[in-house]
Amino acid sequence: SLNAKSIGICLVGDFTTQTPTSSQMRSLNGLTDYLLAKCRLRTDAVKTHRQIHPGHTACPGKRFPASSFTGELKKRN
């Protein structure tokens, strides 16, 4: 099962209608950087819910800055 070999990170909010706060993004960036280092993972291991389950969810929503999050993640790691 995917849940047995992955870590899910949840941000509270509906990102189909609002954007995550800068505080949420700072926390997400810090936690993601920490987990990548701790678990010795490459940045391509980070996926959104929709990437894992296409067609089944809108998560994280069109207002979540997925491409800039991923781009910044790759720059930092």
Side-chain angles (χ1 to χ4, degrees):
S1 136
L2 188 60
N3 288 337
K5 60 182 179 183
S6 64
I7 299 170
I9 300 172
C10 179
L11 300 182
V12 176
D14 178 357
F15 305 123
T16 61
T17 60
Q18 63 190 37
T19 56
T21 66
S22 56
S23 243
Q24 285 177 304
M25 292 307 296
R26 273 193 308 276
S27 294
L28 176 62
N29 289 333
L31 179 57
T32 305
D33 291 347
Y34 170 80
L35 289 170
L36 286 173
K38 182 74 174 171
C39 299
R40 298 180 187 159
L41 298 171
R42 297 182 351 207
T43 57
D44 62 356
V46 178
K47 308 284 185 211
T48 67
H49 194 182
R50 189 180 337 180
Q51 287 173 310
I52 294 170
H53 294 289
H56 294 268
T57 182
C59 182
K62 63 184 178 189
R63 303 288 307 268
F64 180 81
S67 58
S68 64
F69 168 71
T70 303
E72 292 297 318
L73 181 70
K74 289 178 181 180
K75 285 180 189 175
R76 289 192 313 274
N77 295 282

